[in-house]
Amino acid sequence: MMQTQVIRIHSHGDSSVMQLENEVLPAPQVGEVLLSQTAIGVNFIDTYHRSGLYPLSLPSGLGVEACGVVRAIGPDVTEFKLGDRVAYAGGAVGAYASYRVMPAEKLVLVPAGVSDDIAAGTLLRGMTAQYLLKQTFPVHVGQTILFHAAAGGVGQLACQWARELGATVIGTVGSEAKAVIARRYCDYVISYERFSEQVREITGGKGVPVVYDGVGADTFAGSLDCLTPRGMLVSFGNASGPVPPFEPAILAHKGSLFFTRPTLGHYTSTRAELVNTAADYFHAVRRGLLKPEIGQTYALADVAQAHQDLALRKTQGSTLLRP
């Protein structure tokens, strides 16, 4: 038996609904391991779970990403041993905790050369960038792409990776401070004001074959206007709220466009997919192709402030909680 501190919500709402509680964990059962968590990632999806945009069964924990050390192993676990550094991203919520029992099948080994903070704070974003750029709409040499929120956690990694794949990257930002960051990774950095017109100007009126849009409602219409005929809008997030209902005929009218709303879970639904997606991201980090940024760290007890700063877009790069 192990006692852990954990963040719980008993109702959906603003950041004040999160409470720090003590719980007793049972020993790991068949196929499970006990982790002492060293770092916990904070992501926009956590705020959606907390607010009820993505409702949870209550009471509930929060958080889907962390790194830790294997401290106990249940029966039939053969892939990991005591002392292994492991990480996870996605799956059941509950990462906001000092200790956690996890299904071994949801864990990946963290290789030497990748720190606990990088694994905990960027694995979800890194795997998201991987499936967006290499699976949902594979980016190729010579293409020009648009990536919204280029200075955000996913944006920074995806824009770096897209350039490594040979693409010309246009990134949108919401402030000059974020433009400074995005210029390190993008060929063109533009504001959200008239962004579709700016994209057309940059591309000589052609538009782009793909827009990766984690912003949602505020950028949906403009993103469609950026696309070439048969282009794809990849809507993978709701930072400004969900995309409103729309008539499918608008896709035909604007050029036989494609619209998709992917999630990481559907691209890592098998053990092989999960391991391979994480390994590809870690490999890019170890080779120096990607330089993830941990922007800010909060104590577990200060999680409300972390959520407030994230919602107000005060954060840069990835955000961590320290158990």
Side-chain angles (χ1 to χ4, degrees), residues 5-313:
Q5 287 193 312
V6 60
I7 297 296
R8 287 275 179 219
I9 62 170
H10 297 265
S11 62
H12 292 109
D14 62 21
S15 59
S16 67
V17 302
M18 295 183 288
Q19 300 178 22
L20 182 64
E21 300 178 357
N22 292 316
E23 291 187 359
V24 175
L25 289 176
Q29 302 301 302
V30 174
E32 295 180 335
V33 301
L34 172 67
L35 304 180
S36 61
Q37 302 202 134
T38 55
I40 302 160
V42 179
N43 299 282
F44 258 110
I45 195 171
D46 304 347
T47 69
Y48 303 157
H49 287 149
R50 186 209 72 225
S51 69
L53 179 62
Y54 296 169
L56 299 172
S57 296
L58 300 174
S60 177
L62 289 173
V64 295
E65 178 180 41
C67 180
V69 178
V70 176
R71 297 302 186 194
I73 296 175
D76 295 337
V77 174
T78 59
E79 196 172 346
F80 303 105
K81 63 183 185 300
L82 296 179
D84 279 347
R85 287 195 311 139
V86 297
Y88 60 90
V93 297
Y96 291 4
S98 53
Y99 289 84
R100 191 179 187 193
V101 173
M102 284 289 293
E105 66 179 3
K106 298 299 183 183
L107 305 174
V108 295
L109 282 169
V110 179
V114 177
S115 70
D116 290 9
D117 285 3
I118 293 298
T122 71
L123 180 57
L124 184 65
R125 293 165 171 84
M127 291 200 297
T128 299
Q130 199 278 349
Y131 88 75
L132 291 174
L133 299 175
K134 294 191 171 186
Q135 300 183 63
T136 304
F137 184 98
V139 170
H140 300 297
V141 173
Q143 291 178 323
T144 299
I145 71 168
L146 173 63
F147 209 102
H148 285 306
V154 174
Q156 289 187 37
L157 293 174
C159 291
Q160 291 178 66
W161 213 337
R163 290 181 76 178
E164 287 292 336
L165 293 171
T168 297
V169 179
I170 305 171
T172 54
V173 295
S175 68
E176 179 54 34
K178 293 196 172 185
V180 171
I181 296 169
R183 289 187 188 109
R184 297 183 301 199
Y185 314 122
C186 299
D187 298 283
Y188 300 91
V189 177
I190 61 177
S191 69
Y192 289 106
E193 184 179 358
R194 298 176 45 254
F195 71 83
S196 59
E197 295 176 37
Q198 294 181 74
V199 168
R200 292 287 176 179
E201 291 169 3
I202 291 168
T203 60
K206 296 178 180 178
V208 293
V210 62
V211 176
Y212 297 100
D213 189 346
V215 176
D218 289 353
T219 50
F220 170 70
S223 292
L224 292 180
D225 290 337
C226 292
L227 291 167
T228 60
R230 293 181 292 173
M232 180 181 288
L233 173 52
V234 181
S235 178
F236 67 95
N238 304 321
S240 68
V243 170
F246 65 93
E247 290 293 333
I250 194 173
L251 302 177
H253 175 71
K254 291 182 177 291
S256 296
L257 305 179
F258 294 87
F259 176 87
T260 185
R261 181 60 174 89
T263 65
L264 176 61
H266 292 140
Y267 285 83
T268 55
S269 59
T270 69
R271 180 67 183 160
E273 289 172 340
L274 174 62
V275 170
N276 291 338
T277 302
D280 192 25
Y281 171 60
F282 286 147
H283 180 65
V285 171
R286 295 179 70 190
R287 290 179 60 199
L289 303 180
L290 303 178
K291 297 178 173 59
E293 177 189 352
I294 302 299
Q296 46 280 311
T297 300
Y298 303 80
L300 183 61
D302 295 329
V303 64
Q305 187 64 55
H307 274 222
Q308 291 167 22
D309 290 348
L310 192 66
L312 294 172
R313 302 188 185 184

